Amino acid sequence: MARLGPKMSQLTIGSGGVPELSPQDIAAALGMVENRLGRELLCLMWWPDSMTVSIKQIQDLLESEQRAEWWKGEQGMLDAMLAVASHTGGESLRRAQRMYADAHAARWPHWVDSAELGTHSEGYERLRLIVLAEIRAPSQCAACAGRKTVRVGAVIRDCEVCEGTGRQSISNRTRAALLKVNESVYRRSWQKVFEWTMDRCVDAMIEAERQMKKAVA
């Protein structure tokens, strides 16, 4: 995808050679990627100068997916409340109470959305921007120098410091400050949202990369 940048016309191999894949081939393969979120995130990472890259568009895609996941949690909470209300005692009530406790622990912060005022949940919006910033400019892990693995004697194993990601871990305190909440509130209410959103982005990029490789081949 680097060949799609402004200097692509200068790319050659050897003396007078041409790349095996032309920028047009790569752009065509990119257009065949069906995972829209993953495609936009790949462009954000590897083709940031593209006129097609839009943080607002990526935000909108993530917002839609976050809202669906939030609503799933609300439905789970409602089902748990109904289960508790419909049992009066015994083991079935205890199961319903455990169901309620699990649903409550997994529940995301309230989604504020006012059509009259045109406002949306600012916390979710800030969190999306934090996730995108970390994806766009990941800090290299100092322990493995971004290689994802370390050598221990004759054995090569995943780096424990970065958990095999090759990226420096951002502290919860830093994320909480960017989200404008204290660290305890972040850990209790927002960390699960952050991790879900990051995982969703990573999964989308992996799927988009797989689809693009298939199209290139």
Side-chain angles (χ1 to χ4, degrees):
M1 288 184 67
R3 299 180 188 178
L4 298 174
K7 296 183 180 180
M8 65 181 183
S9 60
Q10 300 177 16
L11 287 175
T12 58
I13 295 179
S15 55
V18 295
E20 181 181 352
L21 290 172
S22 70
Q24 290 76 18
D25 293 331
I26 298 169
L30 184 62
M32 296 175 67
V33 173
E34 297 178 359
N35 190 308
R36 187 179 175 192
L37 175 61
R39 183 180 68 231
E40 297 300 324
L41 288 169
L42 286 181
C43 288
L44 181 68
M45 287 188 65
W46 303 109
W47 192 16
D49 296 328
S50 168
M51 296 297 292
T52 65
V53 172
S54 169
I55 295 294
K56 176 64 167 60
Q57 188 174 48
I58 299 175
Q59 275 256 51
D60 290 344
L61 291 169
L62 275 178
E63 179 186 5
S64 177
E65 299 207 15
Q66 281 183 331
R67 188 190 294 268
E69 189 68 15
W70 170 82
W71 180 243
K72 187 188 300 182
E74 292 300 294
Q75 288 293 104
M77 191 68 188
L78 178 59
D79 291 342
M81 292 171 65
L82 292 174
V84 171
S86 64
H87 294 86
T88 57
E91 181 59 30
S92 60
L93 176 60
R94 285 189 287 272
R95 285 197 299 269
Q97 289 172 334
R98 287 195 296 269
M99 178 182 174
Y100 177 89
D102 291 342
H104 187 272
R107 197 178 190 185
W108 285 10
H110 184 58
W111 194 293
V112 181
D113 192 351
S114 172
E116 293 81 7
L117 299 177
T119 58
H120 302 276
S121 177
E122 293 182 359
Y124 283 93
E125 183 176 1
R126 283 196 292 269
L127 186 141
R128 290 192 295 272
L129 289 172
I130 295 168
V131 168
L132 293 178
E134 290 193 22
I135 289 175
R136 189 173 189 177
S139 300
Q140 190 179 80
C141 174
C144 66
R147 290 189 295 269
K148 303 182 182 181
T149 58
V150 294
R151 180 181 293 276
V152 181
V155 179
I156 296 178
R157 59 184 59 175
D158 287 344
C159 177
E160 295 182 356
V161 175
C162 66
E163 298 181 343
T165 65
R167 301 192 303 269
Q168 180 181 351
S169 178
I170 307 300
S171 70
N172 285 334
R173 179 178 298 180
T174 299
R175 288 171 178 159
L178 292 171
L179 197 56
K180 299 182 180 180
V181 298
N182 63 51
E183 187 175 354
S184 62
V185 171
Y186 173 82
R187 289 180 180 274
R188 183 175 65 251
S189 301
W190 289 100
Q191 185 172 0
K192 53 182 170 281
V193 185
F194 178 92
E195 291 175 351
W196 182 92
T197 305
M198 178 63 81
D199 288 346
R200 181 67 192 90
C201 288
V202 171
D203 289 345
M205 285 191 291
I206 291 173
E207 176 64 14
E209 183 179 349
R210 185 190 66 79
Q211 293 175 354
M212 185 172 177
K213 285 181 177 179
K214 183 178 179 180
V216 168

